[in-house]
Amino acid sequence: MADDKEVEKTIAEDLVVTKYKLAGQIVNRVLEQVIAKCVPEASAREICEFGDKLILEETSKVFKKEKDSKKGIAFSTCVSVNNCICHFSPIPSETDYFLKQGDLAKIDLGAHIDGFIAVVAHTVVVGGGEVTGRAADVLLAAYLASEAALRLLRPGNENQAITDVVQKISAEYGCKPVEGMLSHQLKQFRIDGEKSIIQNPSEAQRKEHEKATLETYEVYGMDVLVSTGEGVGREMDTRCTIYKKTDEIYQLKLKASRMFYSEVRNKHGSMPFNLRSFDKETSARLGVVECVNHKLIEPFQVLYERPGELVAQFKFTALLLPSGTHRITGLPFDKSQCKTDRTIKDPELNSLLNSSAKSNKKKKKKTGTEEAMEVETAA
């Protein structure tokens, strides 16, 4: 797997920008089609399988001449509903969930071309219609916090400033960001780069989390998760299905584990993967255990808020270019569907949200690809 490059490729190269934006276009097209499947009585597992299949189909159509180029799923499609915070993407042997009218469904997925990753997440109300009460509060809090984060994703700004603004906007709607969730810098073949932006850190997390300054030519997967509850995720009895290879080394004892790990290395490299992608589910479930126990593979746990609470999520990928910040993933969100008495009263927050999210107008001599996907402020 070509994930250890001699020289790190960044968006200072036009070709890299093109690959990121192509991955972003694919992700947005897939997200639209996945959202269309989120109707009452639909199976969450079937929607996840549909999303993954589409990502593989779409990525297979591009950069065909680059024979050694890896491409495909950067994050398996998840459909996490209501108080389920994240990573619900069940395999056939696990309990499915069937969507109901009024459910808040968070769709999360990602694609990559040559290791350049585009991720996205969007929250929809199953069955549509007007949204009221706490559902409206949490949707607006998460959406507006993500819009504010976009406006602060600029070279020279500190990661802590984004943490603080997400916290403040959530509080205006009587909500809390989910504690400890990270938005990572994205690098080639790496979904969890060195720099990150933390949400709602505990005292211990605040002390440990590294302060960082955003810089030109960096890429971020900005992930905002907001809860109507206390904002603390907990594992329940839902089995984890998404994992990622680490850089740890260990000599596995079981033959099933060695075969599984070999397939992970060859097929997925350092990208997150779902156990669904293995032909023999039973063997994969057996093989993953020893790998996780010895930290060769790390799990993306399925987390939950308390029953009765609601969690909303919006995630986008942003390129920090000299011409400005370009959001390459994410779909428009109709705020007018949410009816609540709560509003943002803080004038500084309103000023930030009313500022333009578009790229600077200078430096428009760049390639057409850069201009084509200027950040649009969703209505």
Side-chain angles (χ1 to χ4, degrees), residues 9 14 34 60 76 92 101-102 109 135 142 161 181 184-185 190 196-197 246 257 266 301 361 375:
K9 291 187 174 182
D14 282 355
V34 169
S60 71
S76 187
Q101 179 77 26
L109 54 92
M181 286 292 176
H184 283 282
Q185 182 184 0
R190 192 163 173 203
S196 64
I197 298 152
T246 67
S257 306
N266 296 327
Q301 300 291 3
K361 291 299 172 204
V375 178

Side-chain angles (χ1 to χ4, degrees), residues 18-28 59 111-113 116-118 328-329:
T18 299
K19 287 177 178 178
Y20 267 117
K21 290 190 169 182
L22 256 179
Q25 288 166 0
I26 286 169
V27 153
N28 283 344
T59 52
H112 77 95
I113 293 169
F116 298 110
I117 299 164
I328 60 165
T329 66

Side-chain angles (χ1 to χ4, degrees), residues 84-153:
C84 181
I85 296 169
C86 55
H87 306 150
F88 187 80
S89 189
I91 52 180
S93 62
E94 296 297 323
T95 307
D96 198 356
Y97 178 86
F98 294 90
L99 301 181
K100 300 179 189 69
Q101 179 77 26
D103 277 348
L104 279 197
K106 295 168 288 295
I107 300 151
D108 187 2
L109 54 92
H112 77 95
I113 293 169
D114 194 22
F116 298 110
I117 299 164
V119 288
V120 74
H122 195 86
T123 304
V124 294
V125 180
V126 177
E130 189 173 278
V131 189
T132 58
R134 296 299 278 151
D137 291 338
V138 78
L139 270 171
L140 285 171
Y143 170 69
L144 292 171
S146 74
E147 286 292 310
L150 171 65
R151 287 154 175 76
L152 291 175
L153 275 171

Side-chain angles (χ1 to χ4, degrees), residues 176-187:
K176 286 186 177 176
V178 177
E179 183 183 288
M181 286 292 176
L182 296 172
S183 296
H184 283 282
Q185 182 184 0
L186 300 174
K187 295 193 166 187

Side-chain angles (χ1 to χ4, degrees), residues 353-379:
L353 286 164
N354 289 330
S355 66
S356 174
K358 288 192 182 294
S359 310
N360 303 333
K361 291 299 172 204
K362 292 173 222 158
K363 293 205 172 194
K364 277 297 166 195
K365 291 188 292 237
K366 273 285 196 192
T367 58
T369 52
E370 213 173 278
E371 289 181 40
M373 296 198 66
E374 254 200 353
V375 178
E376 82 296 340
T377 309

Side-chain angles (χ1 to χ4, degrees), residues 245-254 257-258 261-262 265 287-297:
K245 187 177 83 66
T246 67
D247 294 328
E248 295 290 321
I249 297 169
Y250 174 79
Q251 190 60 48
L252 293 161
K253 305 288 187 284
L254 297 174
S257 306
R258 291 196 297 273
Y261 187 66
S262 173
R265 254 195 341 228
V288 77
V289 176
E290 189 185 5
C291 294
V292 170
N293 288 344
H294 295 283
K295 298 186 168 53
L296 292 181
I297 282 173

